[in-house]
């Protein structure tokens, strides 16, 4: 392992990490272009360091060149956890967290000089994010979705009544967001529901089902 080989490995890690990071950057994800480059280049540096230590001290003691790389795989979890955001009942950022973990593996492959695996892995990761992302959106468009804003009396069990009424129509609640509270004597709470409708269930059917619930006011689709 010479200086030129080290530079090639690190540069390759930067290019491949940037390739994946650019896709995340275009979608305004928490971890984008620079983050993926740093993770991939850092992983490559860890492996080159591990190989350097193995070649230099192998004659004096037993060394495991894969030990540092294993720590990267387990340690990248804290960075991925920082990209995961919970919004109501939905969780976002799992794909970006997975891409960080995957790009760390690409960096490890580049750092060991496994160029074929690093390049192939980066291409597969990029195509998975880019092409399958579009495929997933196409599937989502086929399913009917509805966002409803309404005012609800601040009484126990009212949200449960809405869920029960929607459940009878096989409508699933994807997210519930409490907007604000009305300071009037009626004590109304404004909420926004994100719903997924099965085939055969129209928006009007869902709105009528919600309006029939006692204590629900000002039901509007947005």
């Amino acid at each position: 392992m010479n200086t030129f080989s080290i530079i090639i490995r690190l540069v390759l890690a930067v290019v491949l990490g940037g390739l994946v990071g650019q896709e995340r950057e275009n979608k305004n994800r928490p971890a984008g272009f620079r983050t993926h480059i740093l993770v991939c280049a850092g992983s490559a540096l860890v492996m080159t360091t591990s190989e350097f230590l193995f070649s230099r001290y192998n004659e004096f003691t037993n060394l495991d060149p894969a030990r540092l790389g294993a720590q990267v795989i387990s340690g990248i979890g804290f960075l991925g956890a920082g990209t995961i955001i919970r919004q109501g009942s939905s969780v976002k950022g799992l794909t970006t967290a997975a891409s960080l973990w995957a790009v760390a593996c690409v960096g490890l492959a580049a750092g060991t000089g496994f160029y074929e695996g690093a390049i192939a892995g980066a291409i597969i990761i990029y195509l998975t994010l880019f092409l399958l992302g579009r495929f997933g959106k196409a599937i989502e468009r086929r399913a009917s979705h509805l966002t409803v804003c309404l005012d609800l009396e601040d009484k126990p069990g009212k949200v449960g009544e809405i869920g029960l009424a929607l459940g009878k129509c096989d409508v699933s609640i994807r997210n519930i967001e409490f907007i604000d509270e009305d300071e009037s004597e009626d004590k109304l709470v404004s909420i926004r529901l994100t719903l997924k409708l099965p085939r055969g269930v129209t928006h009007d059917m869902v709105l009528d089902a919600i309006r029939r619930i006692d204590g629900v006011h000002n039901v509007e689709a947005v």
Side-chain angles (χ1 to χ4, degrees), residues 95-110:
T95 302
T96 301
S99 70
L100 284 174
W101 181 85
V103 86
C105 297
V106 171
L108 293 177

Side-chain angles (χ1 to χ4, degrees), residues 196-210:
K196 182 177 180 181
L197 283 59
R199 291 184 179 180
V201 177
T202 65
H203 291 189
D204 290 336
M205 293 171 60
V206 175
L207 295 176
D208 290 340
I210 297 175

Side-chain angles (χ1 to χ4, degrees), residues 10-164:
L10 295 179
V11 170
L12 179 62
V14 169
V15 173
L16 297 179
L19 174 67
V20 177
Q22 185 61 41
E23 193 278 339
R24 296 284 86 189
E25 187 81 23
N26 290 338
K27 294 185 177 179
N28 296 318
R29 294 301 186 258
F33 185 67
R34 291 180 298 176
T35 303
H36 281 75
I37 287 179
L38 290 174
V39 169
C40 197
S43 300
L45 182 59
V46 166
M47 289 311 297
T48 54
T49 302
S50 181
E51 185 176 338
F52 169 79
L53 293 174
F54 179 77
S55 61
R56 185 165 185 173
Y57 298 105
N58 187 43
E59 297 180 359
F60 305 99
T61 183
N62 292 326
L63 292 175
D64 182 5
R67 179 171 296 180
L68 288 178
Q71 298 305 313
V72 171
I73 297 299
S74 59
I76 199 66
F78 86 93
L79 186 60
T83 68
I84 300 175
I85 303 172
R86 180 168 184 174
Q87 297 179 345
S89 60
S90 62
V91 178
K92 297 184 178 180
L94 291 175
T95 302
T96 301
S99 70
L100 284 174
W101 181 85
V103 86
C105 297
V106 171
L108 293 177
T112 58
F114 184 29
Y115 302 129
E116 299 88 345
I119 295 174
I123 292 175
I124 291 173
I125 295 168
Y126 179 81
L127 292 178
T128 299
L129 293 173
F130 183 73
L131 296 180
L132 295 187
R134 291 189 173 185
F135 179 71
K137 289 182 178 179
I139 295 177
E140 286 291 329
R141 283 194 292 267
R142 291 185 178 181
S144 179
H145 291 77
L146 175 64
T147 301
V148 180
C149 288
L150 56 92
D151 294 330
L152 182 67
E153 293 182 3
D154 190 9
K155 296 180 180 180
K158 287 300 178 182
V159 175
E161 291 182 23
I162 295 177
L164 182 62

